[in-house]
């Protein structure tokens, strides 16, 4: 049973790759990571959590992007672009659909630095 249960796609890797590919032309040099690198001023941090809704062939994931930039306006734009990259993904591979997005939302870390985050629900199909 563990083998069957583990046949879900790596949605964090998929999300990071999708964001990098979508922003490569418009925003070269912007990186997406699974963990925040505080030495980088501009970055996107991707967090993925499996949702509670699952069928035999699909599973929902909550994908959150945190976007850091030099200014609040730039961070907002980066967050909107990253969310759009996820929501507008071609319907192939593990991606089935995106729905129920929230954001960009203004946040502030412990040091007082502003960033924006957004969350969307992505439905992915089981890996064959």
């Amino acid at each position: 049973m563990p083998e069957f249960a583990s046949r879900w796609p790596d949605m964090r890797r998929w999300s990071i790759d999708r964001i990098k590919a979508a922003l490569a032309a418009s925003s070269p040099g912007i990186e997406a990571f699974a963990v925040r690198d505080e030495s980088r001023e501009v970055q996107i941090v991707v967090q993925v959590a499996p949702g509670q809704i699952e069928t035999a062939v699909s599973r929902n994931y909550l994908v959150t992007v945190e976007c850091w930039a030099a200014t609040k306006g730039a961070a907002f734009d980066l967050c909107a672009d990253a969310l759009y990259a996820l929501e507008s993904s071609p319907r192939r591979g593990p991606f089935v659909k995106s729905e129920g997005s929230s954001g960009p939302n203004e946040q502030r870390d412990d040091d007082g630095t502003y960033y924006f985050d957004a969350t969307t629900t992505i439905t992915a199909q089981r890996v064959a």
Side-chain angles (χ1 to χ4, degrees), residues 7-102:
R7 291 188 175 256
W8 294 107
D10 183 348
M11 289 306 291
R12 177 175 285 133
R13 171 70 10 224
W14 176 87
S15 299
I16 289 171
D17 290 346
R18 174 67 189 148
I19 291 168
K20 284 182 177 181
L23 297 181
S26 63
S27 306
I30 292 181
E31 291 290 332
F33 304 98
V35 210
R36 183 173 179 215
D37 178 358
E38 294 193 26
S39 67
R40 300 179 73 94
E41 186 175 66
V42 179
Q43 64 184 303
I44 300 169
V45 178
V46 179
Q47 300 172 0
V48 176
Q52 298 298 316
I53 300 174
E54 178 181 325
T55 70
V57 295
S58 67
R59 174 184 269 178
N60 285 351
Y61 292 86
L62 297 174
V63 180
T64 300
V65 292
E66 295 177 348
C67 302
W68 307 80
T71 66
K72 284 171 64 172
F76 178 89
D77 291 343
L78 185 59
C79 191
D81 290 347
L83 184 62
Y84 179 76
L86 293 172
E87 292 179 332
S88 66
S89 180
R91 304 305 194 246
R92 64 176 179 267
F95 183 84
V96 176
K97 66 179 178 176
S98 173
E99 61 186 349
S101 63
S102 167

